[in-house]
Amino acid sequence: MQNTIKTQRTYYIGAALLALITAVLRALSLTLAFDRASGYFTKGALPVLFRVFWGCALLALVLFPILALRGCISEKRSANTPFSTCGAGLCALLLFLNFICSCTLQSTMLPTALWLVGLLALLLGVVYFILQTPLLKAGAGTHAVLGSVTILAFACLIAFTYFDISTPMNAPHKTDLHITLLATMLYFLYELRAKADISRPLALSACGAIAFFLTTVVGLSDTVAYLAGAFTNPVYFAQDLLLLALAVYIGARSLADASINRKAKRKDCGI
């Protein structure tokens, strides 16, 4: 029984369940306990419950691999599956949508050089995700360069909304989006390490679960809030949709990795 619970697959299934519950709590908070004029949650039990559950879920996702999966994850990664290919295609499409929306940015606070670098990085990020599909093939060096630029693209997306003065700096819409993109950057950093044969499988597994959790929670609840009229900025909405695409890609890749690690878990982690 203990061997059945202490598996990578159980970890990802648990992350998915926690993400679903947290997304519901956040969506309810944004639609029922949110002041659209100020951009903050109103006082009440619902936002507090969401934040407490959010924090406990993240703590569990950090501790579980350290306590239960150390030394039990193979460095070998699964090949791309139809689901991960679909996720990569969605990421490419949504990154291009973010490129289009970012072309319309009119913030006087955003440095022009940073804006231009971000636009170029977004386009190259589109190419990187296309490389994760059967449409294009490239060598390891190309993957490494374009993957690194994709991480830069996520950083630029953070900058694009960071310099947005219409949304308060510590408003939940902005801070939660930035935290999620930072977690996504960390996941892709470890994914690139795996492509370069310097993998850190435990870190990749943990970052994958955390990034999947955050992209699902923030992307799903922000989309619901946008459709409900709580948010109106299309730049943020494009990033929220990108988070959902990233959740599909990261979730599919993580589950595929977990499936090839089952035999290794039974062999190396018996109690």
Side-chain angles (χ1 to χ4, degrees), residues 15-16 21 28 38 59 72 101 105 109 117-118 170 174 214 240 245 249 251:
I21 297 172
L28 289 174
S38 67
L59 182 62
C72 303
C101 290
L105 289 175
M109 302 291 293
V117 169
N170 58 344
K174 179 177 287 189
L214 290 172
D240 291 330
Y249 174 79

Side-chain angles (χ1 to χ4, degrees), residues 20-107:
L20 180 60
I21 297 172
T22 311
V24 171
L25 290 174
R26 190 172 187 272
L28 289 174
S29 298
L30 289 173
T31 53
L32 301 178
F34 184 73
D35 184 357
R36 301 178 186 180
S38 67
Y40 295 95
F41 291 125
T42 59
K43 291 183 179 180
L46 190 55
V48 173
L49 177 61
F50 153 65
R51 285 301 187 192
V52 170
F53 194 87
W54 161 290
C56 291
L58 284 174
L59 182 62
L61 292 176
V62 170
L63 292 179
F64 186 89
I66 296 174
L67 298 177
L69 300 181
R70 187 183 295 273
C72 303
I73 303 176
S74 171
E75 292 188 5
K76 183 179 179 181
R77 297 205 72 194
S78 169
N80 286 332
T81 66
F83 292 107
S84 64
T85 299
C86 178
L90 289 173
C91 288
L93 179 63
L94 269 300
L95 266 183
F96 187 71
L97 175 63
N98 275 270
F99 167 78
I100 295 174
C101 290
S102 298
C103 287
T104 66
L105 289 175
Q106 298 178 345
S107 173

Side-chain angles (χ1 to χ4, degrees), residues 184-223:
T184 302
M185 291 167 61
L186 195 58
Y187 167 78
F188 279 99
L189 174 63
Y190 282 105
E191 182 171 84
L192 288 178
R193 286 179 61 96
K195 288 179 180 290
D197 294 326
I198 48 175
S199 178
R200 298 288 297 273
L202 184 65
L204 176 63
S205 180
C207 290
I210 292 170
F212 171 77
F213 171 83
L214 290 172
T215 51
T216 301
V217 170
V218 177
L220 187 58
S221 57
D222 276 357
T223 300

Side-chain angles (χ1 to χ4, degrees), residues 193-266:
R193 286 179 61 96
K195 288 179 180 290
D197 294 326
I198 48 175
S199 178
R200 298 288 297 273
L202 184 65
L204 176 63
S205 180
C207 290
I210 292 170
F212 171 77
F213 171 83
L214 290 172
T215 51
T216 301
V217 170
V218 177
L220 187 58
S221 57
D222 276 357
T223 300
V224 171
Y226 186 91
L227 296 176
F231 303 136
T232 58
N233 192 321
V235 173
Y236 284 86
F237 185 50
Q239 293 193 24
D240 291 330
L241 292 177
L242 174 62
L243 296 185
L244 292 177
L246 288 167
V248 174
Y249 174 79
I250 295 172
R253 291 290 283 143
S254 297
L255 278 178
D257 289 342
S259 67
I260 67 171
N261 274 319
R262 286 193 218 175
K263 291 183 179 179
K265 169 67 181 178
R266 295 193 189 101

Side-chain angles (χ1 to χ4, degrees), residues 142-172:
T142 302
H143 276 270
V145 172
L146 290 179
S148 299
V149 176
T150 301
I151 295 175
L152 175 62
F154 293 138
C156 290
L157 287 178
I158 294 175
F160 289 169
T161 50
Y162 177 86
F163 288 103
D164 170 39
I165 59 176
S166 65
T167 303
M169 188 58 64
N170 58 344

